[in-house]
Amino acid sequence: MLNRRNFLQLSSLGFGSLFNQDVFAKNRNRSRPIVISTWPEGLKANEEAWKILKSNGKALDAVEKGVNVTESSINCCVGLGANPDRDGIVTLDACIMDEMGNCGAVAALERIKHPVSVARMVMEKTPHVFLVGEGAQQFAVKEGFTLDEQVLSPSAKKEYENWLKKSEYKPIINIEKGHGPFAPSQLEDGAYNHDTIGMVALDASGNVSGSCTTSGMGFKMRGRVGDSPIIGAGLFVDNEVGAATATGVGEEVIRICGTHLVVELMRQGNSPEEACRKAVHRIVKRDKAKAKDLQVGFIAINKNGEHGGFCIQKGFDYAVCYADDKNYLIQAKSYF
Ligand code: ASP
């Protein structure tokens, strides 16, 4: 296993610079199929998504099965092993969107391991887009999802007990301490402090889909929902243009309809990176002083298979995969 110390050593030896964006720049154009996802956990999720994409599977299946991997990881920041709300309860939010503009979402879902798969069922089996709380859980159970015990993972329990000492809601700026490269199998569970995975993919048939799943900000108010399950905020797909997903302080993303904005900026001719950069600037412009204490990151792909990302603070990587042996992290450029 590559632990954080070894990983930093590798980076300090300059190994990381071999994998900078310039080296990969030539590969960034017109890859199809392709899948990208937020944060280093995206590497493992991409691996699963790639199995589907490389055998001419659908982007929609890839983005669901891909993030299922992260939802299952008990020590990860996403899923039932994640930090709870301020009442000590883990609540999950997720959404999914396909190439036809069909979408489904769930929020404040408790005790169900795979919220993104429930979101897909909402999309496919109901006349609605969004189910929340008890109703979402009832629907999931009716569709055959197992109701897990309401117990905190050992790491979440420890963090929650620690948090209770002061009970202050202060979102931690979610950044990484270092950057790739490392293989998906070397990634340590729980090494990062954010709460979300967003994934967008372009399949061999040229169709785009996306997913986003989260436990939300740790120690949030009971009932709080962030951007991640909101179509147009945490995720947006338009098969004429491309797709985008977001991570970071959800309230800021919701205020600018972040991923819808990114997709519309791509429609106007901006590259994925430029579109993400302009959306980040929109957030910062509202209140630059406040933005210094915030993290938001966007990632996007367009119909040509080009990808890009941008964030407020340094320390946001996203994982890109377009071949069995091409699954790597890219450090997104940042405003600060
Ligand atoms: N965007 C998520 C939320 O606000 C949190 C995260 O991305 O870490 O709920």
Side-chain angles (χ1 to χ4, degrees), residues 39 93 174 194-196 214-217 224-228 246-251 253:
W39 303 108
D93 308 329
N174 48 11
H194 50 82
D195 316 285
T196 301
T214 190
S215 56
M217 305 298 285
R224 178 267 187 191
V225 175
D227 60 315
S228 305
T247 182
V249 179
E251 284 75 5
V253 179

Side-chain angles (χ1 to χ4, degrees), residues 47-199:
E47 262 187 356
E48 196 60 31
W50 182 250
K51 287 181 197 160
I52 295 169
L53 293 173
K54 77 172 177 191
S55 46
N56 293 336
K58 279 171 65 84
L60 180 67
D61 295 325
V63 297
E64 180 195 359
K65 299 296 174 220
V67 303
N68 278 168
V69 171
T70 325
E71 289 176 335
S72 294
S73 168
I74 192 67
N75 290 321
C76 180
C77 42
V78 173
L80 291 175
N83 282 337
D85 64 17
R86 68 184 192 184
D87 291 2
I89 297 167
V90 177
T91 66
L92 304 178
D93 308 329
C95 70
I96 194 160
M97 190 164 189
D98 74 7
E99 75 278 4
M100 305 291 289
N102 298 312
C103 48
V106 290
L109 182 63
E110 294 172 18
R111 299 170 58 192
I112 303 277
K113 195 171 178 182
H114 290 303
V116 79
S117 300
V118 183
R120 182 164 177 177
M121 293 274 181
V122 173
M123 173 173 95
E124 291 177 345
K125 298 200 167 177
T126 79
H128 307 301
V129 165
F130 210 153
L131 294 181
V132 303
E134 218 181 297
Q137 193 189 67
Q138 276 168 12
F139 170 73
V141 170
K142 194 182 121 266
E143 290 300 328
F145 288 83
T146 308
L147 209 49
D148 281 24
E149 289 301 307
Q150 176 65 264
V151 278
L152 294 182
S153 68
S155 61
K157 189 166 178 286
K158 212 164 114 197
E159 296 233 13
Y160 181 56
E161 282 165 3
N162 201 29
W163 178 82
L164 280 174
K165 289 180 195 151
K166 284 193 175 168
S167 303
E168 273 173 359
Y169 179 70
K170 270 199 188 155
I172 302 161
I173 296 182
N174 48 11
I175 56 167
E176 297 141 13
K177 296 270 186 284
H179 302 284
F182 44 77
S185 57
Q186 294 172 310
L187 191 64
E188 233 188 344
D189 269 354
Y192 300 93
N193 70 353
H194 50 82
D195 316 285
T196 301
I197 181 163
M199 175 179 274

